[in-house]
Amino acid sequence: MVFSEVPSSNTIRVQKIKEFLEKEDLEISEDIETFVIAKEDDAIVACGGLSGKVLKNIAIDESIRGEGVALSLMSELLKIAYSLGRDELFLFTKPMYEDVFESCGFKYIEQANQQVILMENRYNIDAYKKRLRKLRQSGDVIGSIVMNANPFTLGHRHLVEQACLRSHWVHLFVVKEDASFFSFEDRYRLICEGLADLKNLTIHEGSDYIISKATFPTYFIKDKRCIDSLYTELDLNIFRNHLAPELGVTHRFVGEEPLCVVTNEYNMQMKKILAKPSAFPPIEVIELPRIEYNHEPISASRVRKLMKEGRLEEISHLVPSSTYRLIETMLSTTSH
Amino acid sequence: MSKTTKTKLRRSMLFVPGSNTGMVCNAFIYKPDTVMFDLEDSVALSEKDSARLMVFHALQHFTYQDIETAVRVNPLDTPFGILDLEAVIRGGVDIVRLPKTDTVQDVLDMEREIERIEKEIGTTKKTMLLAAIESALGVVNAVEIARSSSRMMGIALGAEDFVRDLHTQRTKEGGELMAARNQILLAARAAKIGAFDSIFSDIKDKEGFMHEVAYVKSLGFDGKSLINPNQIPWLHKEFAPSTKNISWAIEVIEAAKDAELRGLGVVSLDGKMVDAPIIARAEWIMDLARASGVLGEQL
Amino acid sequence: MSKILEPAHAGTLESSDVFVRVVPSEQNGIEIELESSVSEIYGEAIELLIKETAEAMNIRNIRILVQDKGALDYVIKARVQTAILRAQGTVSPDWSVLS
């Protein structure tokens, strides 16, 4: 068996990997940078991919399945990841392979629908949970919100305001992954500035464990028409079973989605998963109506569209002043 | 007795990739006549350094003290060749296999470096050389290569690269290798050294393998390089001498001993003269018979 | 005394092998993190071997992370040495400290 590295730019070979994965009932991930493949008699018999700090699309042909091949394959993948300085790694696989990857030094974090599990090699989630525990607040209603805020709008502001009114305390998580038009740094700063007046609120920098490329890869794939329900579940299971209990979260607030079918479905699924019977108390999902400007809901995507069209005046009605100032600077520097 | 000499029995030379730890640790178990660690083609560029160190240590481990060891090093015109040599001579290897030997100069260059390292570490061991011939040029120069060094214990055909050089590929019939095999065998015999055939790469095709082994044995080859331990017993079985050969050899040796005891200068058997090469051949058959397990150790 | 400046790794997770990662350390000393299928019985002996191997190469400030899959002593030695040489960027080693 010969192992080799295939960069995702190598389209002819990637096509063959795609076919192999389909045979193994896996969909190729679009965000993989490098694949490792094992070939025997010129046919692919095993493969795995690296995307950021995540190992996925790992499959081994049934004919050669056994710990041996998995360990060789993982050795190759780890060598690549470590060479790129990525020490803390995640891994997606089918539940049946948990033991195999455990013997490669990975530990189970969470599963979704008995179809996919997420594992981690350093088990930092424990340290993260410990940090959250210290930020716990007392109260009967502890709200939570997760937002990307790309960028922060008056719509976001309204959602948080409403949540704070209805809760004793609100924990707001800002998606940390730098995969959006606005950088994490800017998004986080605008949220803090735009919500500085709210007293019963903790703003958390997100982490690998909440809407990240590790827990929710499909969220970051552009133009992905459907948000994969499997990863939605994985992300929500981590929230429900790991993060929420540390903070004593009782409610999660989301904006209503009258227009976008996909996000609406996501909200529906969230309601279902967070209320499902489990070892941890259920979390109630509260959908709040969006505020509108000119009979259209205010949203970050609308702001980005107006930015492209250079309609600065219109933007001023959709965003708080700090966000407006940043956009103004961005537009003036790009137009020169 | 030393575990190795120039004329030792070498039916099976098992290739062991230096980067395959499991194989490196376990190859001795299969009892090939020679374990041949590879640092060349089976080792990825990124693992040249790790394979070199692994083989350096394996050579010194007690599991490899009773078995003949060879190492296929990288050519000296690569950045790895000299480092490989430094490691394996220090590790105490018996035979250095030169890859891609095209000319006598290739042998002399290697010999010079081996001598230098042996001197540096102050060993009395004289590392042997096995030249792998893997190109048309090498085959054409085989006669000179075979007698270019007193360290040379044999020459071997490297068929995979050779057929590429010929602009063809290997076939079951093996016609493409006919000229090379004959030339290498003649060159080896003329220089009184060993001749070794190439690997048979389809490890699942036992029948094809057996066919090839029977063929090269009939040509006169001493043995063959192998890539899979499963092939070792198959090959040893084919190389085992026939009962007819053995009883002939026993009679020759007895007659020779008898003549010596009686102080006779000339040995004859069934009215034919038995000279030194015939006695040597008979002794070789007996070695082979013992190694093949078709005779008890008492013989 | 030698130093390693870069992290490096050697070996595989395959059976009979060992995966070794070395990381420069600010602290004085050789710090070993061993994960082994046989650590209950051989853990201490393996750690000692790793330590001696690094010391022979005159390395003092280092973290060595080891996932052992039942490797023989000489395999562990070879892998630790390879990782350290890679971390140092040493191409042509001093063989006398490696035996």
Side-chain angles (χ1 to χ4, degrees), chain B residues 47-99:
Chain B
E47 296 298 335
K48 293 289 186 194
D49 56 341
S50 63
R52 185 185 304 130
L53 264 176
M54 184 67 71
V55 168
F56 169 69
H57 286 292
L59 288 169
Q60 298 171 68
H61 195 244
F62 71 87
T63 46
Y64 287 104
Q65 300 318 303
D66 298 328
I67 191 165
E68 183 176 71
T69 53
V71 178
R72 175 163 79 171
V73 297
N74 286 282
L76 285 176
D77 61 4
T78 68
F80 317 112
I82 195 72
L83 293 168
D84 290 348
L85 213 55
E86 294 274 358
V88 304
I89 304 294
R90 285 179 161 80
V93 74
D94 299 318
I95 300 168
V96 169
R97 178 175 167 124
L98 279 79

Side-chain angles (χ1 to χ4, degrees), chain B residues 18-22 24-26 46-54 56-58 60-61 63-64 83 86-87 90, chain C residues 10-12 14-18 71-72 74-79 81-83 85-86 91-93 95-96 98-99:
Chain B
S19 51
N20 185 334
T21 307
V24 169
C25 293
N26 295 323
S46 59
E47 296 298 335
K48 293 289 186 194
D49 56 341
S50 63
R52 185 185 304 130
L53 264 176
M54 184 67 71
F56 169 69
H57 286 292
Q60 298 171 68
H61 195 244
T63 46
Y64 287 104
L83 293 168
E86 294 274 358
R90 285 179 161 80
Chain C
T12 73
E14 290 154 21
S15 167
S16 310
D17 204 347
V18 59
L72 293 175
Y74 76 81
V75 173
I76 296 175
K77 211 164 163 183
R79 294 311 192 197
Q81 289 171 343
T82 303
L85 291 172
R86 285 175 176 176
V91 176
S92 185
W95 293 98
S96 66
L98 301 180
S99 302

Side-chain angles (χ1 to χ4, degrees), chain B residues 176-190:
Chain B
E176 70 286 352
L177 297 179
M178 194 189 283
R181 278 178 170 144
N182 290 335
Q183 174 79 354
I184 283 169
L185 191 75
L186 286 170
R189 294 298 175 241

Side-chain angles (χ1 to χ4, degrees), chain B residues 36-210:
Chain B
M36 193 150 57
F37 296 114
D38 184 29
L39 299 177
E40 203 215 4
D41 283 353
S42 70
V43 177
L45 289 177
S46 59
E47 296 298 335
K48 293 289 186 194
D49 56 341
S50 63
R52 185 185 304 130
L53 264 176
M54 184 67 71
V55 168
F56 169 69
H57 286 292
L59 288 169
Q60 298 171 68
H61 195 244
F62 71 87
T63 46
Y64 287 104
Q65 300 318 303
D66 298 328
I67 191 165
E68 183 176 71
T69 53
V71 178
R72 175 163 79 171
V73 297
N74 286 282
L76 285 176
D77 61 4
T78 68
F80 317 112
I82 195 72
L83 293 168
D84 290 348
L85 213 55
E86 294 274 358
V88 304
I89 304 294
R90 285 179 161 80
V93 74
D94 299 318
I95 300 168
V96 169
R97 178 175 167 124
L98 279 79
K100 305 182 174 65
T101 317
D102 290 337
T103 63
V104 169
Q105 194 56 47
D106 292 338
V107 181
L108 298 181
D109 291 345
M110 190 62 87
E111 188 179 45
R112 194 183 58 241
E113 293 299 338
I114 290 176
E115 252 157 43
R116 173 184 63 76
I117 300 166
E118 282 176 350
K119 216 167 164 185
E120 261 176 45
I121 58 174
T123 180
T124 52
K125 184 165 182 168
K126 200 172 174 199
T127 313
M128 290 182 281
L129 279 171
L130 166 62
I133 292 180
E134 309 180 54
S135 68
L137 181 60
V139 171
V140 168
N141 289 331
V143 175
E144 281 71 41
I145 289 170
R147 57 179 177 215
S148 59
S149 165
S150 62
R151 291 170 184 263
M152 194 71 75
M153 48 64 68
I155 52 177
L157 172 63
E160 305 297 312
D161 284 339
F162 176 73
V163 291
R164 211 171 300 129
D165 195 35
L166 279 199
H167 299 185
T168 181
Q169 57 235 341
R170 287 188 78 172
T171 63
K172 268 201 156 142
E173 297 73 35
E176 70 286 352
L177 297 179
M178 194 189 283
R181 278 178 170 144
N182 290 335
Q183 174 79 354
I184 283 169
L185 191 75
L186 286 170
R189 294 298 175 241
K192 303 211 179 317
I193 60 172
F196 306 99
D197 191 49
S198 188
I199 59 157
F200 185 84
S201 55
D202 185 354
I203 57 169
K204 287 174 209 130
D205 182 7
K206 182 181 174 185
E207 204 185 315
F209 174 77
M210 293 306 286

Side-chain angles (χ1 to χ4, degrees), chain A residues 43-59:
Chain A
I44 298 177
V45 289
C47 86
L50 175 70
S51 164
K53 49 174 131 176
V54 183
L55 307 175
K56 54 185 169 179
N57 275 180
I58 304 171

Side-chain angles (χ1 to χ4, degrees), chain C residues 5-96:
Chain C
L5 302 168
E6 296 284 329
H9 57 264
T12 73
L13 295 165
E14 290 154 21
S15 167
S16 310
D17 204 347
V18 59
F19 199 107
V20 176
R21 291 164 65 203
V22 296
V23 185
S25 163
E26 291 307 312
Q27 278 158 31
N28 212 359
I30 297 169
E31 197 188 325
I32 298 166
E33 267 179 55
L34 172 68
E35 211 178 285
S36 168
S37 47
V38 294
S39 63
E40 269 183 36
I41 317 168
Y42 300 110
E44 272 179 43
I46 295 172
E47 285 194 24
L48 185 65
L49 172 71
I50 295 168
K51 192 160 171 275
E52 285 171 352
T53 305
E55 278 171 352
M57 296 172 82
N58 224 352
I59 298 289
R60 293 294 181 272
N61 301 23
I62 193 170
R63 261 183 79 207
I64 307 179
L65 302 111
V66 182
Q67 271 172 289
D68 172 44
K69 297 288 175 184
L72 293 175
D73 279 7
Y74 76 81
V75 173
I76 296 175
K77 211 164 163 183
R79 294 311 192 197
V80 171
Q81 289 171 343
T82 303
I84 291 175
L85 291 172
R86 285 175 176 176
Q88 291 175 317
T90 304
V91 176
S92 185
D94 172 3
W95 293 98
S96 66

